[in-house]
mmCIF file of all heavy atoms in Angstrom:
data_model
loop_
_atom_site.group_PDB
_atom_site.id
_atom_site.type_symbol
_atom_site.label_atom_id
_atom_site.label_comp_id
_atom_site.label_asym_id
_atom_site.label_seq_id
_atom_site.Cartn_x
_atom_site.Cartn_y
_atom_site.Cartn_z
ATOM 1 N N VAL A 255 0.840 -1.195 -0.011
ATOM 2 C CA VAL A 255 0.011 0.002 0.001
ATOM 3 C C VAL A 255 0.861 1.236 -0.005
ATOM 4 O O VAL A 255 0.634 2.171 -0.756
ATOM 5 C CB VAL A 255 -0.968 -0.002 1.216
ATOM 6 C CG1 VAL A 255 -1.761 1.279 1.293
ATOM 7 C CG2 VAL A 255 -1.882 -1.222 1.162
ATOM 8 N N GLY A 256 1.876 1.270 0.866
ATOM 9 C CA GLY A 256 2.785 2.419 0.932
ATOM 10 C C GLY A 256 3.837 2.162 1.969
ATOM 11 O O GLY A 256 3.703 1.334 2.854
ATOM 12 N N TYR A 257 4.964 2.896 1.820
ATOM 13 C CA TYR A 257 6.079 2.706 2.736
ATOM 14 C C TYR A 257 7.051 3.837 2.646
ATOM 15 O O TYR A 257 7.115 4.559 1.644
ATOM 16 C CB TYR A 257 6.792 1.379 2.485
ATOM 17 C CG TYR A 257 7.390 1.289 1.103
ATOM 18 C CD1 TYR A 257 8.706 1.708 0.862
ATOM 19 C CD2 TYR A 257 6.666 0.795 0.037
ATOM 20 C CE1 TYR A 257 9.247 1.643 -0.398
ATOM 21 C CE2 TYR A 257 7.206 0.731 -1.242
ATOM 22 C CZ TYR A 257 8.501 1.161 -1.455
ATOM 23 O OH TYR A 257 9.034 1.101 -2.704
ATOM 24 N N ASP A 258 7.809 4.008 3.700
ATOM 25 C CA ASP A 258 9.044 4.783 3.708
ATOM 26 C C ASP A 258 9.992 4.031 4.614
ATOM 27 O O ASP A 258 9.753 2.864 4.917
ATOM 28 C CB ASP A 258 8.817 6.254 4.095
ATOM 29 C CG ASP A 258 8.367 6.458 5.527
ATOM 30 O OD1 ASP A 258 8.394 5.503 6.345
ATOM 31 O OD2 ASP A 258 7.984 7.579 5.877
ATOM 32 N N ASP A 259 11.056 4.662 5.074
ATOM 33 C CA ASP A 259 12.019 3.948 5.925
ATOM 34 C C ASP A 259 11.447 3.545 7.277
ATOM 35 O O ASP A 259 11.889 2.584 7.885
ATOM 36 C CB ASP A 259 13.268 4.786 6.159
ATOM 37 C CG ASP A 259 14.081 4.991 4.900
ATOM 38 O OD1 ASP A 259 13.935 4.189 3.965
ATOM 39 O OD2 ASP A 259 14.855 5.965 4.857
ATOM 40 N N ARG A 260 10.430 4.277 7.750
ATOM 41 C CA ARG A 260 9.932 4.063 9.106
ATOM 42 C C ARG A 260 8.694 3.186 9.204
ATOM 43 O O ARG A 260 8.444 2.591 10.253
ATOM 44 C CB ARG A 260 9.630 5.423 9.757
ATOM 45 C CG ARG A 260 10.891 6.235 9.984
ATOM 46 C CD ARG A 260 10.569 7.615 10.415
ATOM 47 N NE ARG A 260 9.861 8.269 9.311
ATOM 48 C CZ ARG A 260 9.217 9.394 9.390
ATOM 49 N NH1 ARG A 260 9.119 10.013 10.520
ATOM 50 N NH2 ARG A 260 8.626 9.894 8.332
ATOM 51 N N VAL A 261 7.896 3.103 8.166
ATOM 52 C CA VAL A 261 6.632 2.356 8.249
ATOM 53 C C VAL A 261 6.291 1.762 6.880
ATOM 54 O O VAL A 261 6.654 2.308 5.844
ATOM 55 C CB VAL A 261 5.501 3.271 8.773
ATOM 56 C CG1 VAL A 261 5.140 4.342 7.775
ATOM 57 C CG2 VAL A 261 4.286 2.456 9.190
ATOM 58 N N MET A 262 5.587 0.629 6.925
ATOM 59 C CA MET A 262 5.133 -0.036 5.683
ATOM 60 C C MET A 262 3.753 -0.638 5.945
ATOM 61 O O MET A 262 3.528 -1.246 6.972
ATOM 62 C CB MET A 262 6.123 -1.148 5.309
ATOM 63 C CG MET A 262 5.632 -2.044 4.166
ATOM 64 S SD MET A 262 6.816 -3.369 3.817
ATOM 65 C CE MET A 262 7.945 -2.474 2.742
ATOM 66 N N MET A 263 2.846 -0.451 4.993
ATOM 67 C CA MET A 263 1.533 -1.070 5.057
ATOM 68 C C MET A 263 1.398 -2.053 3.895
ATOM 69 O O MET A 263 1.721 -1.710 2.747
ATOM 70 C CB MET A 263 0.410 -0.046 4.983
ATOM 71 C CG MET A 263 -0.984 -0.660 5.072
ATOM 72 S SD MET A 263 -2.332 0.552 4.984
ATOM 73 C CE MET A 263 -2.236 1.175 6.650
ATOM 74 N N VAL A 264 0.921 -3.264 4.219
ATOM 75 C CA VAL A 264 0.807 -4.338 3.248
ATOM 76 C C VAL A 264 -0.537 -5.027 3.409
ATOM 77 O O VAL A 264 -0.930 -5.366 4.526
ATOM 78 C CB VAL A 264 1.932 -5.380 3.425
ATOM 79 C CG1 VAL A 264 1.855 -6.478 2.391
ATOM 80 C CG2 VAL A 264 3.304 -4.710 3.416
ATOM 81 N N LYS A 265 -1.263 -5.250 2.298
ATOM 82 C CA LYS A 265 -2.452 -6.074 2.310
ATOM 83 C C LYS A 265 -2.019 -7.504 2.046
ATOM 84 O O LYS A 265 -1.213 -7.751 1.151
ATOM 85 C CB LYS A 265 -3.428 -5.622 1.218
ATOM 86 C CG LYS A 265 -4.042 -4.281 1.462
ATOM 87 C CD LYS A 265 -4.769 -3.701 0.255
ATOM 88 C CE LYS A 265 -5.793 -4.610 -0.366
ATOM 89 N NZ LYS A 265 -6.530 -3.947 -1.456
ATOM 90 N N VAL A 266 -2.540 -8.455 2.843
ATOM 91 C CA VAL A 266 -2.164 -9.870 2.667
ATOM 92 C C VAL A 266 -3.439 -10.676 2.520
ATOM 93 O O VAL A 266 -4.283 -10.705 3.417
ATOM 94 C CB VAL A 266 -1.316 -10.389 3.853
ATOM 95 C CG1 VAL A 266 -0.815 -11.797 3.541
ATOM 96 C CG2 VAL A 266 -0.163 -9.456 4.151
ATOM 97 N N LYS A 267 -3.595 -11.299 1.363
ATOM 98 C CA LYS A 267 -4.802 -12.078 1.035
ATOM 99 C C LYS A 267 -4.518 -13.553 1.239
ATOM 100 O O LYS A 267 -3.516 -14.079 0.729
ATOM 101 C CB LYS A 267 -5.184 -11.791 -0.431
ATOM 102 C CG LYS A 267 -6.456 -12.398 -0.897
ATOM 103 C CD LYS A 267 -6.939 -11.862 -2.236
ATOM 104 C CE LYS A 267 -5.891 -11.634 -3.278
ATOM 105 N NZ LYS A 267 -6.439 -11.233 -4.597
ATOM 106 N N PHE A 268 -5.414 -14.243 1.969
ATOM 107 C CA PHE A 268 -5.247 -15.668 2.304
ATOM 108 C C PHE A 268 -6.422 -16.453 1.734
ATOM 109 O O PHE A 268 -7.573 -16.055 1.874
ATOM 110 C CB PHE A 268 -5.273 -15.868 3.820
ATOM 111 C CG PHE A 268 -4.034 -15.455 4.554
ATOM 112 C CD1 PHE A 268 -3.774 -14.126 4.809
ATOM 113 C CD2 PHE A 268 -3.131 -16.422 4.993
ATOM 114 C CE1 PHE A 268 -2.658 -13.763 5.529
ATOM 115 C CE2 PHE A 268 -2.007 -16.047 5.716
ATOM 116 C CZ PHE A 268 -1.771 -14.711 5.977
ATOM 117 N N GLU A 269 -6.096 -17.627 1.189
ATOM 118 C CA GLU A 269 -7.138 -18.613 0.878
ATOM 119 C C GLU A 269 -7.335 -19.479 2.119
ATOM 120 O O GLU A 269 -6.419 -19.619 2.954
ATOM 121 C CB GLU A 269 -6.676 -19.506 -0.297
ATOM 122 C CG GLU A 269 -6.522 -18.765 -1.596
ATOM 123 C CD GLU A 269 -5.981 -19.644 -2.719
ATOM 124 O OE1 GLU A 269 -5.868 -20.894 -2.513
ATOM 125 O OE2 GLU A 269 -5.649 -19.099 -3.765
ATOM 126 N N ARG A 270 -8.521 -20.046 2.255
ATOM 127 C CA ARG A 270 -8.799 -20.922 3.396
ATOM 128 C C ARG A 270 -7.757 -22.026 3.473
ATOM 129 O O ARG A 270 -7.398 -22.643 2.472
ATOM 130 C CB ARG A 270 -10.188 -21.521 3.228
ATOM 131 C CG ARG A 270 -10.606 -22.373 4.426
ATOM 132 C CD ARG A 270 -12.057 -22.828 4.269
ATOM 133 N NE ARG A 270 -12.519 -23.501 5.445
ATOM 134 C CZ ARG A 270 -12.553 -24.821 5.583
ATOM 135 N NH1 ARG A 270 -12.193 -25.611 4.591
ATOM 136 N NH2 ARG A 270 -12.996 -25.358 6.692
ATOM 137 N N GLY A 271 -7.225 -22.246 4.663
ATOM 138 C CA GLY A 271 -6.234 -23.287 4.875
ATOM 139 C C GLY A 271 -4.783 -22.832 4.712
ATOM 140 O O GLY A 271 -3.861 -23.558 5.086
ATOM 141 N N ALA A 272 -4.565 -21.661 4.147
ATOM 142 C CA ALA A 272 -3.196 -21.158 3.965
ATOM 143 C C ALA A 272 -2.583 -20.848 5.327
ATOM 144 O O ALA A 272 -3.269 -20.455 6.264
ATOM 145 C CB ALA A 272 -3.179 -19.912 3.083
ATOM 146 N N VAL A 273 -1.257 -21.060 5.413
ATOM 147 C CA VAL A 273 -0.572 -20.864 6.683
ATOM 148 C C VAL A 273 0.587 -19.906 6.524
ATOM 149 O O VAL A 273 1.445 -20.088 5.643
ATOM 150 C CB VAL A 273 -0.036 -22.229 7.209
ATOM 151 C CG1 VAL A 273 0.786 -22.046 8.475
ATOM 152 C CG2 VAL A 273 -1.202 -23.190 7.444
ATOM 153 N N GLY A 274 0.623 -18.916 7.381
ATOM 154 C CA GLY A 274 1.784 -18.060 7.560
ATOM 155 C C GLY A 274 2.571 -18.673 8.695
ATOM 156 O O GLY A 274 2.190 -18.537 9.866
ATOM 157 N N TYR A 275 3.594 -19.436 8.364
ATOM 158 C CA TYR A 275 4.319 -20.252 9.358
ATOM 159 C C TYR A 275 4.951 -19.397 10.446
ATOM 160 O O TYR A 275 5.232 -18.209 10.237
ATOM 161 C CB TYR A 275 5.344 -21.118 8.664
ATOM 162 C CG TYR A 275 4.674 -22.133 7.756
ATOM 163 C CD1 TYR A 275 4.574 -21.935 6.404
ATOM 164 C CD2 TYR A 275 4.105 -23.277 8.312
ATOM 165 C CE1 TYR A 275 3.925 -22.859 5.585
ATOM 166 C CE2 TYR A 275 3.458 -24.205 7.516
ATOM 167 C CZ TYR A 275 3.358 -23.993 6.154
ATOM 168 O OH TYR A 275 2.704 -24.874 5.339
ATOM 169 N N LEU A 276 5.156 -19.988 11.607
ATOM 170 C CA LEU A 276 5.764 -19.299 12.740
ATOM 171 C C LEU A 276 7.112 -18.690 12.307
ATOM 172 O O LEU A 276 7.938 -19.343 11.696
ATOM 173 C CB LEU A 276 5.983 -20.249 13.918
ATOM 174 C CG LEU A 276 4.732 -20.696 14.637
ATOM 175 C CD1 LEU A 276 5.059 -21.781 15.680
ATOM 176 C CD2 LEU A 276 4.008 -19.529 15.300
ATOM 177 N N HIS A 277 7.279 -17.424 12.671
ATOM 178 C CA HIS A 277 8.492 -16.682 12.321
ATOM 179 C C HIS A 277 8.617 -15.495 13.278
ATOM 180 O O HIS A 277 7.704 -15.228 14.040
ATOM 181 C CB HIS A 277 8.457 -16.220 10.862
ATOM 182 C CG HIS A 277 7.380 -15.227 10.589
ATOM 183 N ND1 HIS A 277 6.032 -15.556 10.504
ATOM 184 C CD2 HIS A 277 7.417 -13.891 10.431
ATOM 185 C CE1 HIS A 277 5.319 -14.471 10.262
ATOM 186 N NE2 HIS A 277 6.131 -13.432 10.225
ATOM 187 N N HIS A 278 9.704 -14.779 13.183
ATOM 188 C CA HIS A 278 9.880 -13.551 13.941
ATOM 189 C C HIS A 278 10.736 -12.596 13.132
ATOM 190 O O HIS A 278 11.443 -13.013 12.195
ATOM 191 C CB HIS A 278 10.494 -13.818 15.330
ATOM 192 C CG HIS A 278 11.885 -14.375 15.272
ATOM 193 N ND1 HIS A 278 12.990 -13.564 15.227
ATOM 194 C CD2 HIS A 278 12.331 -15.650 15.238
ATOM 195 C CE1 HIS A 278 14.061 -14.333 15.175
ATOM 196 N NE2 HIS A 278 13.684 -15.609 15.174
ATOM 197 N N HIS A 279 10.667 -11.330 13.452
ATOM 198 C CA HIS A 279 11.453 -10.298 12.800
ATOM 199 C C HIS A 279 11.610 -9.154 13.781
ATOM 200 O O HIS A 279 10.825 -9.033 14.734
ATOM 201 C CB HIS A 279 10.809 -9.834 11.482
ATOM 202 C CG HIS A 279 9.333 -9.698 11.525
ATOM 203 N ND1 HIS A 279 8.693 -8.641 12.181
ATOM 204 C CD2 HIS A 279 8.328 -10.476 11.049
ATOM 205 C CE1 HIS A 279 7.391 -8.790 12.082
ATOM 206 N NE2 HIS A 279 7.138 -9.898 11.397
ATOM 207 N N TYR A 280 12.597 -8.305 13.554
ATOM 208 C CA TYR A 280 12.833 -7.214 14.495
ATOM 209 C C TYR A 280 11.819 -6.083 14.357
ATOM 210 O O TYR A 280 11.743 -5.192 15.213
ATOM 211 C CB TYR A 280 14.264 -6.678 14.380
ATOM 212 C CG TYR A 280 14.508 -5.805 13.176
ATOM 213 C CD1 TYR A 280 14.329 -4.432 13.252
ATOM 214 C CD2 TYR A 280 14.966 -6.347 11.978
ATOM 215 C CE1 TYR A 280 14.563 -3.612 12.146
ATOM 216 C CE2 TYR A 280 15.226 -5.549 10.889
ATOM 217 C CZ TYR A 280 15.026 -4.187 10.971
ATOM 218 O OH TYR A 280 15.266 -3.380 9.883
ATOM 219 N N HIS A 281 10.993 -6.121 13.319
ATOM 220 C CA HIS A 281 9.970 -5.088 13.130
ATOM 221 C C HIS A 281 8.804 -5.281 14.075
ATOM 222 O O HIS A 281 8.393 -6.418 14.319
ATOM 223 C CB HIS A 281 9.423 -5.164 11.696
ATOM 224 C CG HIS A 281 10.490 -5.282 10.665
ATOM 225 N ND1 HIS A 281 11.092 -6.503 10.373
ATOM 226 C CD2 HIS A 281 11.069 -4.369 9.871
ATOM 227 C CE1 HIS A 281 12.001 -6.303 9.446
ATOM 228 N NE2 HIS A 281 12.009 -5.015 9.121
ATOM 229 N N SER A 282 8.255 -4.216 14.589
ATOM 230 C CA SER A 282 6.969 -4.280 15.293
ATOM 231 C C SER A 282 5.896 -4.383 14.217
ATOM 232 O O SER A 282 6.068 -3.911 13.110
ATOM 233 C CB SER A 282 6.736 -3.004 16.105
ATOM 234 O OG SER A 282 7.680 -2.894 17.151
ATOM 235 N N GLN A 283 4.799 -5.053 14.569
ATOM 236 C CA GLN A 283 3.727 -5.281 13.586
ATOM 237 C C GLN A 283 2.364 -5.087 14.230
ATOM 238 O O GLN A 283 2.077 -5.649 15.278
ATOM 239 C CB GLN A 283 3.839 -6.710 13.028
ATOM 240 C CG GLN A 283 2.755 -7.099 12.069
ATOM 241 C CD GLN A 283 2.920 -8.516 11.523
ATOM 242 O OE1 GLN A 283 4.026 -9.069 11.563
ATOM 243 N NE2 GLN A 283 1.851 -9.092 11.043
ATOM 244 N N ALA A 284 1.544 -4.280 13.572
ATOM 245 C CA ALA A 284 0.139 -4.126 13.957
ATOM 246 C C ALA A 284 -0.681 -4.621 12.791
ATOM 247 O O ALA A 284 -0.385 -4.296 11.631
ATOM 248 C CB ALA A 284 -0.194 -2.681 14.275
ATOM 249 N N THR A 285 -1.706 -5.443 13.055
ATOM 250 C CA THR A 285 -2.490 -6.048 11.982
ATOM 251 C C THR A 285 -3.973 -5.864 12.240
ATOM 252 O O THR A 285 -4.451 -6.066 13.368
ATOM 253 C CB THR A 285 -2.156 -7.546 11.859
ATOM 254 O OG1 THR A 285 -0.774 -7.694 11.530
ATOM 255 C CG2 THR A 285 -2.993 -8.212 10.779
ATOM 256 N N TYR A 286 -4.687 -5.506 11.172
ATOM 257 C CA TYR A 286 -6.140 -5.350 11.190
ATOM 258 C C TYR A 286 -6.731 -6.455 10.320
ATOM 259 O O TYR A 286 -6.247 -6.690 9.206
ATOM 260 C CB TYR A 286 -6.549 -3.986 10.667
ATOM 261 C CG TYR A 286 -8.031 -3.794 10.515
ATOM 262 C CD1 TYR A 286 -8.842 -3.605 11.617
ATOM 263 C CD2 TYR A 286 -8.620 -3.857 9.255
ATOM 264 C CE1 TYR A 286 -10.220 -3.443 11.472
ATOM 265 C CE2 TYR A 286 -10.000 -3.716 9.115
ATOM 266 C CZ TYR A 286 -10.778 -3.497 10.209
ATOM 267 O OH TYR A 286 -12.116 -3.360 10.068
ATOM 268 N N VAL A 287 -7.773 -7.132 10.811
ATOM 269 C CA VAL A 287 -8.432 -8.186 10.038
ATOM 270 C C VAL A 287 -9.537 -7.524 9.202
ATOM 271 O O VAL A 287 -10.571 -7.124 9.708
ATOM 272 C CB VAL A 287 -9.034 -9.273 10.961
ATOM 273 C CG1 VAL A 287 -9.668 -10.381 10.112
ATOM 274 C CG2 VAL A 287 -7.973 -9.839 11.890
ATOM 275 N N ALA A 288 -9.275 -7.392 7.894
ATOM 276 C CA ALA A 288 -10.230 -6.737 7.001
ATOM 277 C C ALA A 288 -11.380 -7.671 6.636
ATOM 278 O O ALA A 288 -12.519 -7.210 6.442
ATOM 279 C CB ALA A 288 -9.519 -6.279 5.724
ATOM 280 N N SER A 289 -11.081 -8.974 6.563
ATOM 281 C CA SER A 289 -12.118 -9.969 6.274
ATOM 282 C C SER A 289 -11.602 -11.345 6.631
ATOM 283 O O SER A 289 -10.418 -11.548 6.807
ATOM 284 C CB SER A 289 -12.529 -9.913 4.783
ATOM 285 O OG SER A 289 -11.429 -10.233 3.953
ATOM 286 N N GLY A 290 -12.544 -12.291 6.735
ATOM 287 C CA GLY A 290 -12.162 -13.676 7.023
ATOM 288 C C GLY A 290 -11.987 -13.963 8.493
ATOM 289 O O GLY A 290 -12.368 -13.172 9.359
#
């Protein structure tokens, strides 16, 4: 959606059953559930 050095917004579309496997990163993350 948009980004600069300090912040990035990303839309992530999932099909039923898809898995975002366990991971970690040094970035803080805030997530809003738009649907599903």
Side-chain angles (χ1 to χ4, degrees):
V255 176
Y257 62 90
D258 66 10
D259 293 338
R260 294 172 295 168
V261 68
M262 171 182 277
M263 181 180 283
V264 182
K265 291 169 51 176
V266 187
K267 185 168 41 175
F268 285 78
E269 295 176 8
R270 184 174 186 262
V273 176
Y275 295 99
L276 289 173
H277 65 286
H278 64 88
H279 40 75
Y280 76 89
H281 314 81
S282 295
Q283 177 179 339
T285 298
Y286 174 75
V287 182
S289 63

